[in-house]
């Protein structure tokens, strides 16, 4: 019995493929390497992406609306490619080898981007600091590098948080209680990287040069890869469970084939493997049957033709656990959809907040030192770093007294509060723009590059988004990991990330629609190149209204949600 307790019971194995030894692998021993990898990778990503809209506008000579649209499209792609990485991780490679291989692609992309901004012939020719005229090839090389990075990050984003959580045994209550703490530290690491990026690196890009500004993130990504490989012997690895898409299709096909079959009232009559704990899916525990979406239960009903075949055909008969996998994904989809509007709001930090800040007085106090507009993102990061311990040490204990829940708030409640708070960020940005335009009109500052209004008036909108992130994004991260089927955790992490992608695409679509409608009859529209002639506040009001409607939908969806119920343990 004592020897059995040495090994994990959630199916994890060590780097040699043997059952993972609790004393020698996993827990906080392995996490510093994963957290170090994430911190450096996020430093590299944000160091490049925080200011990329201004690179498009000034170095690639794009108009404001075009630059914002290209930033949204690229950023959105960075959150769609995780579906590729997640599929490979869950089905064939496992999380370790997916992270390792895609990191190499990432480094190649970062290197190419650095060369495109520093090597003569590849970088645009400029007659002044911001008066550049790139040829088509130079723009193409830049975008090739950026989309290589988007592919590379697709193998890292969906796997790293899940891989860190894998280091804690789900079947060991002592280890499991640290899992929620890991997600907080994970997001803390993300924001340490973002803090350095939005302060030091943005300053270097604006005042030293884009070659150095992209080169340092490339080096940081190299350090991230080294950090990850350094912990190889300490990691616990979940075995890939085969193609999750195939299993989903099998349930759909089997259900349709048996659409006339009646589901028995007794759940025990549905098909399941005889093993007490382990399901037919490699690396997955069994799941209890749930009553909703009963049409899919038809796939687990045993009929006479199934017995006649001898061996079970997975396209005709599926286990209850396999059916419950599909149900778990279907239940997540409405919650997932309500994250899209939030992500569109979050995306404004990377484009219209920066463009708004560029029109304001960027001096620090009365000094001659000017802060780059994109560096205001540091207040979002500082907000996250402030609110994480406040949430963990104050909000959780206080709410626990009222709710009786071990975490104070459920993950769904936490996410709902984040959606509510995000509304006020758009209200803050809209009010600021209204005041800014009022100053422009009163003093005829229409053609001024900067108006005498401090950029630090933007701090509240950044700080509010940071607060909303702590509730929404960390809650979402934990929710999608916990509610995912065991053999689909990377895929569900990728699914949660696609809300960011679709939020970016939604923002891009809204810009396109707004520009198309508001520029009719020769008008300048809401978002002209010179924002002093525009009505950017209308765009912020639009997002605020959409956020209110989205919160209403979320409340209805969250009340309907049914949590998954896993059964038993696994041995690697």
């Amino acid at each position: 019995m004592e020897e059995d307790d040495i090994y994990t019971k959630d199916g994890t194995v060590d780097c040699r493929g043997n059952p993972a030894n609790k004393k020698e692998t996993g827990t906080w021993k392995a996490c510093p390497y994963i957290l170090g990898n994430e911190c450096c990778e996020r430093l590299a990503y944000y160091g490049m992406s925080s200011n990329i809209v201004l690179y498009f506008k000034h170095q690639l000579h794009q108009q404001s609306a075009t630059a914002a649209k290209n930033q949204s499209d690229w950023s959105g792609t960075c959150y769609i490619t995780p579906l590729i990485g997640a599929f490979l991780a869950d089905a064939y490679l496992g999380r370790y080898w997916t992270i390792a291989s895609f990191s190499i692609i990432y480094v190649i992309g970062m290197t190419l981007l650095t060369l495109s901004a520093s090597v003569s012939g590849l970088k645009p020719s400029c007659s002044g600091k911001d008066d550049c005229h790139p040829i088509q090839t130079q723009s193409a090389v830049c975008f090739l590098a950026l989309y290589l990075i988007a592919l590379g990050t697709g193998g890292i984003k969906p796997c790293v948080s899940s891989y860190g959580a894998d280091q804690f045994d789900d079947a060991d209550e002592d280890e499991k209680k640290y899992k929620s703490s890991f997600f907080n530290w994970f997001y803390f690491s993300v924001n340490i990287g973002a803090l350095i990026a939005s302060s030091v690196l943005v300053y270097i890009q604006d005042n030293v040069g884009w070659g150095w500004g992209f080169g340092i993130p490339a080096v940081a990504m190299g350090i991230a890869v080294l950090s990850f490989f350094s912990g190889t012997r300490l990691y616990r690895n979940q075995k890939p469970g085969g193609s999750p898409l195939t299993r989903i299709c099998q349930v759909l096909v089997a259900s349709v084939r048996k659409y006339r079959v009646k589901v028995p009232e007794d759940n025990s009559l549905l098909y399941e493997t005889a093993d007490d704990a382990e399901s037919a899916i490699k690396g997955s525990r069994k799941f209890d049957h749930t009553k909703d979406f009963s049409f899919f239960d038809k796939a687990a009903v045993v009929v006479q033709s199934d017995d006649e075949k001898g061996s079970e055909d997975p396209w005709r008969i599926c286990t209850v656990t396999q059916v419950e996998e599909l149900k778990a994904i279907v239940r997540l989809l409405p919650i997932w959809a309500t994250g899209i509007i939030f992500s569109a709001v979050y995306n404004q930090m990377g484009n219209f907040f920066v463009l708004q800040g560029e029109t304001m007085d960027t001096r620090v106090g009365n000094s001659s030192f000017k802060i780059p507009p994109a560096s205001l993102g540091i207040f979002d990061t500082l907000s996250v770093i402030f609110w994480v311990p406040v949430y963990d040490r104050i909000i959780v204990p206080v709410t626990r007294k009222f709710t009786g829940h071990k975490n104070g708030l459920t993950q769904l409640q936490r996410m709902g509060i984040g959606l509510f708070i995000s509304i006020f960020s758009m209200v803050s940005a809209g009010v600021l723009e209204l005041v800014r335009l009022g100053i422009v009109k009163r003093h005829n500052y229409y053609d001024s590059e900067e108006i005498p209004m401090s950029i630090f008036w933007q701090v509240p909108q950044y700080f509010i988004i940071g607060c909303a992130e702590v509730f929404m994004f960390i809650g979402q991260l934990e929710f999608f990991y916990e509610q995912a089927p065991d053999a689909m955790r990377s895929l569900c992490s990728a699914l949660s990330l696609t809300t960011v992608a679709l939020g970016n695409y939604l923002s891009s679509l809204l810009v396109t629609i707004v520009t198309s409608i508001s520029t009719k009859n020769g008008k300048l529209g809401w978002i002209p190149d010179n924002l002093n002639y525009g009505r950017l506040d209308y765009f912020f009001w639009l997002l605020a209204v959409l956020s209110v409607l989205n919160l209403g939908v979320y409340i209805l969806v969250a009340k309907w949600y049914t949590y998954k119920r896993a059964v038993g343990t696994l041995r690697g």
Side-chain angles (χ1 to χ4, degrees):
M1 182 67 182
E2 284 185 15
E3 187 178 345
D4 192 49
D5 286 339
I6 292 173
Y7 300 102
T8 58
K9 294 182 176 66
D10 61 354
T12 51
V13 296
D14 61 21
C15 62
R16 298 180 183 85
N18 301 319
N21 187 306
K22 284 187 178 182
K23 293 181 179 179
E24 296 176 3
T25 63
T27 65
W28 292 113
K29 295 189 295 292
C31 286
Y33 300 98
I34 296 170
L35 295 176
N37 167 270
E38 182 63 10
C39 180
C40 291
E41 189 273 328
R42 290 291 85 187
L43 189 156
Y45 179 80
Y46 287 119
M48 168 196 47
S49 65
S50 297
N51 217 14
I52 199 72
V53 69
L54 293 185
Y55 186 80
F56 290 159
K57 183 176 179 180
H58 298 309
Q59 302 297 304
L60 299 187
H61 201 63
Q62 296 179 351
Q63 294 180 333
S64 293
T66 305
K69 185 178 183 300
N70 283 334
Q71 184 274 342
S72 294
D73 289 345
W74 172 76
S75 185
T77 303
C78 287
Y79 288 89
I80 284 289
T81 52
L83 290 171
I84 300 170
F87 174 78
L88 292 173
D90 282 341
Y92 306 112
L93 298 178
R95 286 188 260 281
Y96 176 86
W97 285 111
T98 303
I99 294 169
S101 54
F102 278 76
S103 292
I104 305 302
I105 298 172
Y106 201 130
V107 171
I108 293 169
M110 289 296 303
T111 304
L112 183 59
L113 183 65
T114 304
L115 293 174
S116 75
S118 56
V119 175
S120 180
L122 289 178
K123 69 176 182 178
S125 56
C126 304
S127 53
K129 183 186 175 185
D130 294 329
D131 185 20
C132 300
H133 303 279
I135 59 174
Q136 194 169 0
T137 306
Q138 291 166 341
S139 295
V141 170
C142 174
F143 278 98
L144 172 62
L146 286 170
Y147 280 90
L148 274 175
I149 292 165
L151 178 60
T153 197
I156 300 173
K157 280 182 191 288
C159 297
V160 176
S161 60
S162 298
Y163 195 54
D166 287 346
Q167 306 310 309
F168 301 93
D169 189 352
D170 250 346
D172 185 322
E173 288 301 320
D174 288 334
E175 288 193 16
K176 189 177 180 181
K177 66 183 180 183
Y178 293 115
K179 197 168 279 195
S180 183
S181 181
F182 167 78
F183 284 111
N184 284 326
W185 279 107
F186 176 82
Y187 208 73
F188 188 86
S189 299
V190 168
N191 281 275
I192 291 296
L195 179 66
I196 299 169
S198 60
S199 54
V200 178
L201 291 178
V202 168
Y203 178 81
I204 289 172
Q205 289 164 357
D206 277 18
N207 296 278
V208 179
W210 290 97
W212 281 100
F214 289 150
I216 294 171
V219 171
M221 189 58 213
I223 295 171
V225 175
L226 290 175
S227 173
F228 180 73
F229 282 123
S230 297
T232 299
R233 289 186 299 171
L234 298 173
Y235 297 146
R236 296 174 182 174
N237 304 290
Q238 286 280 3
K239 298 173 185 174
S243 171
L245 298 182
T246 301
R247 294 197 301 276
I248 288 171
C249 290
Q250 285 171 342
V251 175
L252 292 172
V253 170
S255 301
V256 171
R257 279 179 166 174
K258 297 177 180 177
Y259 73 97
R260 290 181 179 174
V261 173
K262 187 179 179 182
V263 178
E265 294 291 330
D266 185 357
N267 299 337
S268 64
L269 296 177
L270 297 174
Y271 177 67
E272 185 55 277
T273 55
D275 190 286
D276 288 337
E278 187 162 4
S279 71
I281 304 158
K282 188 188 293 184
S284 177
R285 293 166 293 176
K286 286 182 178 178
F287 291 137
D288 267 344
H289 175 265
T290 55
K291 292 182 179 179
D292 50 353
F293 304 115
S294 58
F295 176 80
F296 298 130
D297 290 333
K298 295 177 185 289
V301 176
V302 181
V303 295
Q304 189 175 357
S305 59
D306 295 327
D307 293 330
E308 290 171 0
K309 299 286 181 182
S311 60
E312 294 87 2
D313 180 354
W315 294 94
R316 290 182 176 276
I317 182 76
C318 303
T319 63
V320 168
T321 296
Q322 192 173 338
V323 171
E324 290 301 319
E325 269 193 336
L326 175 58
K327 287 185 182 182
I329 298 295
V330 173
R331 284 190 205 102
L332 286 173
L333 290 178
I335 300 291
W336 164 83
T338 56
I340 296 171
I341 299 290
F342 178 87
S343 295
V345 168
Y346 178 76
N347 178 251
Q348 301 316 304
M349 284 196 303
N351 51 42
F352 287 124
F353 281 15
V354 176
L355 294 173
Q356 183 188 46
E358 195 181 24
T359 67
M360 302 171 77
D361 184 357
T362 56
R363 290 178 302 167
V364 178
N366 294 319
S367 69
S368 59
F369 178 79
K370 291 193 170 187
I371 185 170
S375 282
L376 265 287
I378 196 173
F379 290 100
D380 164 71
T381 306
L382 290 172
S383 177
V384 171
I385 292 171
F386 170 78
W387 282 107
V388 164
V390 167
Y391 182 86
D392 201 47
R393 301 296 178 184
I394 299 174
I395 295 175
V396 170
V398 170
T399 53
R400 187 186 290 139
K401 291 178 182 178
F402 293 97
T403 64
H405 193 275
K406 63 178 181 177
N407 293 329
L409 299 170
T410 65
Q411 292 151 0
L412 288 172
Q413 288 170 339
R414 182 176 184 173
M415 290 160 65
I417 292 169
L419 292 176
F420 176 72
I421 293 170
S422 70
I423 296 167
F424 295 96
S425 176
M426 288 299 96
V427 171
S428 176
V431 169
L432 176 64
E433 184 64 10
L434 198 60
V435 172
R436 194 190 71 80
L437 290 174
I439 293 172
V440 169
K441 185 177 181 179
R442 280 197 304 274
H443 300 283
N444 196 27
Y445 289 137
Y446 288 104
D447 294 316
S448 301
E449 286 189 12
E450 292 185 356
I451 70 166
M453 182 181 188
S454 175
I455 193 172
F456 290 100
W457 283 106
Q458 283 193 309
V459 170
Q461 62 207 51
Y462 281 101
F463 197 82
I464 294 168
I465 280 194
C467 179
E469 275 182 74
V470 170
F471 285 88
M472 178 62 183
F473 276 155
I474 300 179
Q476 188 184 54
L477 202 64
E478 189 174 355
F479 179 75
F480 275 79
Y481 179 87
E482 290 292 336
Q483 295 305 307
D486 291 353
M488 289 189 185
R489 278 177 166 160
S490 293
L491 193 65
C492 286
S493 290
L495 190 65
S496 71
L497 290 169
T498 57
T499 62
V500 180
L502 294 175
N504 287 330
Y505 293 144
L506 174 62
S507 178
S508 179
L509 178 63
L510 288 174
V511 169
T512 303
I513 293 171
V514 161
T515 302
S516 175
I517 294 173
S518 65
T519 56
K520 284 182 178 178
N521 303 319
K523 294 179 181 177
L524 289 171
W526 290 6
I527 315 168
D529 281 343
N530 185 343
L531 293 179
N532 294 335
Y533 288 99
R535 290 310 303 255
L536 184 59
D537 57 318
Y538 289 174
F539 189 76
F540 292 139
W541 301 134
L542 174 63
L543 283 173
V545 170
L546 290 174
S547 296
V548 171
L549 296 174
N550 185 58
L551 177 61
V553 172
Y554 175 84
I555 292 169
L556 294 174
V557 168
K559 283 183 177 180
W560 164 82
Y561 188 80
T562 305
Y563 287 88
K564 77 168 190 181
R565 299 193 300 270
V567 181
T569 60
L570 289 176
R571 178 70 176 270

